[in-house]
Amino acid sequence: MATRRRDAAAMDDAKAILNRVRQLVRVLRAFDKQAQTRFGLGAAQMFILHVLQQQDDLSMNDLADRTATDQSSVSLATGKLVAEGYVRRDVSEEDRRQVRLSLTTKGRALVKRSPPAAQERIMGSVEAMPPAERAQLMALLDKLMAGMAPPDDRPPMLFQDDLQPPKRRTAPRRTKS
């Protein structure tokens, strides 16, 4: 009987945690949808604009570091921002192989009228926690993820899959019988 109560309590906790994960995902999706609707950009691009607003003239690697993602994800996300005139790519004066990214006037205007990116809010909430709570949260999230997927040191940006062009489907070849 005591085992059943423990199992029921574990199940109740699992449901409550799942509901919190759902709430988090819902908030993130709502931000992405709002950004798409109001500004024509997704959450990944909005985050990049807000990071560049905090510190302009960043290399692709610096921007990847500040967005806690990999360089290829940042490169993909900035492509649309450059194409639409929100971000400028300049060749570095010191190292001609390096590209520097900065906001254009159009990009600055968009950031001023947009809310903080969802990723900024998450990072702000975590930064406000005492160090012991941050460590505990990381350890618990690691345990949660260990049961779900292999570790990924630099996951793509949130909603990164929305940035990639859809794969074309091709009809299967017919063979003559």
Side-chain angles (χ1 to χ4, degrees):
M1 181 105 140
T3 303
R4 270 194 180 155
R5 269 190 246 134
R6 263 189 306 219
D7 290 346
M11 178 63 90
D12 288 345
D13 290 346
K15 288 177 183 177
I17 290 167
L18 179 60
N19 283 333
R20 284 167 177 81
V21 170
R22 286 179 179 142
Q23 289 171 332
L24 178 61
V25 170
R26 187 179 326 126
V27 166
L28 295 172
R29 283 196 176 148
F31 178 82
D32 187 60
K33 187 175 181 178
Q34 176 189 30
Q36 289 281 353
T37 302
R38 284 187 65 201
F39 307 109
L41 300 171
Q45 288 100 358
M46 293 302 291
F47 187 35
I48 287 172
L49 291 175
H50 281 265
V51 168
L52 286 172
Q53 187 243 355
Q54 292 168 8
Q55 184 175 357
D56 228 3
D57 191 40
L58 294 175
S59 71
M60 200 67 76
N61 286 334
D62 290 339
L63 186 56
D65 182 58
R66 284 181 176 71
T67 58
T69 191
D70 61 83
Q71 194 267 345
S72 63
S73 293
V74 168
S75 180
L76 185 61
T78 57
K80 182 176 181 178
L81 295 171
V82 170
E84 296 198 12
Y86 295 109
V87 172
R88 182 178 52 252
R89 277 188 188 137
D90 295 312
V91 176
S92 171
E93 295 288 326
E94 296 85 38
D95 182 350
R96 309 289 294 159
R97 298 170 295 175
Q98 191 178 68
V99 173
R100 307 297 293 182
L101 301 166
S102 56
L103 289 178
T104 63
T105 302
K106 182 179 176 181
R108 288 185 198 292
L110 178 65
V111 170
K112 282 183 183 176
R113 53 180 221 272
S114 68
Q119 299 92 318
E120 285 180 284
R121 291 185 225 163
I122 290 170
M123 291 175 75
S125 292
V126 171
E127 289 168 359
M129 293 177 184
E133 287 181 7
R134 290 194 304 263
Q136 183 181 18
L137 179 59
M138 282 187 288
L140 292 172
L141 287 171
D142 286 346
K143 275 186 176 181
L144 176 65
M145 292 307 299
M148 297 176 61
D152 190 353
D153 289 340
R154 288 291 200 168
M157 298 185 80
L158 287 172
F159 303 102
Q160 179 71 32
D161 52 329
D162 295 342
L163 301 174
Q164 298 178 5
K167 292 181 181 176
R168 283 202 275 165
R169 291 187 178 188
T170 57
R173 288 188 173 178
R174 294 183 185 217
T175 58
K176 293 182 181 178
S177 309

